[in-house]
Amino acid sequence: MAAIIDGVAEITKKVEEVILGEDGKPLSKGALKKLEKEREKKKKQEERAAKDAAERAARDAASPDYSTDRYGNLPVNQSEERTGRTRTKIASLSEKNIDETVLLSARLQTSRPTGNKKNFIVLRQGTVTAQAVLTVDETKISKQMQKFSCGITSESLVLVEAKVVKALQQVTSCTIQDVELQIEKLHVISAAARLPFSLEDATRPDEDYEKDPALVRVALATRLDHRPIDLRTTTNHAIFRMQHGVCKLFREYLEQHDFVEIHTPKLLGAASEGGANVFKVEYFNETAFLAQSPQFYKQMMITSDFAKVFEIGTVFRAENSQSHRHMTEYVSLDMEMEFEEHYHEVLDVFDGLLVHILKGLKERYTDEIAVIKKQFPFEDFEFLDKSLRLTYPEAVKMLRDAGVEFGDYDDMNTAQERILGKLVKEKYHTDFFMLDKFPLAVRPFYTMPDPARPGYSNSYDFFMRGEEILSGAQRVHNAAMLQKRAEENDPPIDPTTIQPYLDAFKFGAPPHAGGALGMERVLMLFLDLGNIRRTSLFPRDPNRLGP
């Protein structure tokens, strides 16, 4: 009985399938005939495709593979031999290399077969790409080799031996456009698994999404979760080459002006800024703090008669900030120097330093800037050969004249900084300026008060595109005054917690000043990238402690 019931159910299902269309309504007799024809046609197409595939496979199997030594997967490199053969850099290829056979290793970025006899491959080294072509012939390149090339996954590392030929037309999709590579040998060094997102999607400019909203957009959080993959994009290669440039230019200028590079501790027995925004760590049987800054040690180096010092190092801030420009760990570019008569001597050095960095980025990294602009278009950074300097009262007046309510001794918030940046740009045509004479109450305890302007100090900030990138000041170098400033701080600082620092000034300390640039922030604002996480290799913030 059960078998009969199942049979009736099956018959009923088939009748409903024939009688009812996709919308659930009964089909007419003509519609039923049309549907049956379409089904029969699809069935024949599938059978024909399967037959063709089987015939191709049979032909490939029957045809001799005369390229077995020209392709395949290489064994894991365990440094078993050293041939000494020179590997070519794609960036060096030009028409001068035509007819030369070159050996190179690169990422296989994309593979585009046309038929079963040709495969167009884009090879990438860093930000540089070139087109390579694998073409089946009767002596060297077999169909099996072509099929192998089509199966190599995107982002695999490959070893290619190829002949350099002139491109029939400019290869506008690659950075090397006048020549291409005719592949003669192709081996996989390291195969790539399936990527969490495509690098093509990860390098799209916003305008592409405006044209086609269906395109896949890779969120910043997804990028950071898979940062080693995200860092492969040509945009990121350009960004972090420029990050290297910021440090190189910083070090270059200061070394030319007789500064000594130093390396200070990052584990401290007391908070370097005297505030609560510090990370505490267990240090054997006591508590230590991660350095907020090399401030105390820079100054102690000045008391040790080093005169001019700088450091490029990591600092830590336990600020629970979710903003676009704050991180809990970042790279600080610090400088400290003694001066003869006035702390503006130090501002003069800073002026030359910042102009050197900005000019260097603009002039030495034109290729990288062009790559970044393709994905993140921005207006070129504007600056003066001699940087603009404003006093805090002058800035307050500009804000008030623009309708912003602002007290004489108020500290500026982010929104007010941006308004000031726009006002300065409109009036002085610069994206970079210095702001001098900050209110004393908003600066650290070691800041020198301005005797001529009660309530103000000999301190300064620098701004790029309306955002602060450097904070600095003349430091208190008198031991008694420094201790008094610590005790009067809000909240007060117990002198015993910073005694070694205070003691350094008891034996004669020269007047000195300095400051610290945020490396990632400088680059973010120069390129107008909008988020500091784009200029940090592996950013750390209150929500991210990996990878």
Side-chain angles (χ1 to χ4, degrees), residues 406-418:
F406 201 87
D408 288 347
Y409 302 103
D410 289 350
D411 196 8
M412 284 189 198
N413 60 35
T414 302
Q416 291 161 343
E417 286 180 359
R418 286 176 175 168

Side-chain angles (χ1 to χ4, degrees), residues 101-142:
T101 297
V102 297
L103 180 71
L104 59 91
S105 56
R107 293 273 180 194
L108 187 147
Q109 181 166 297
T110 59
S111 179
R112 182 172 56 85
T114 57
N116 61 354
K117 289 193 174 181
K118 204 175 272 271
N119 190 13
F120 291 89
I121 294 171
V122 173
L123 300 173
R124 187 185 77 248
Q125 292 175 342
T127 59
V128 186
T129 54
Q131 178 171 276
V133 186
L134 187 145
T135 307
V136 173
D137 59 28
E138 296 180 354
T139 57
K140 293 181 179 180
I141 313 299
S142 65

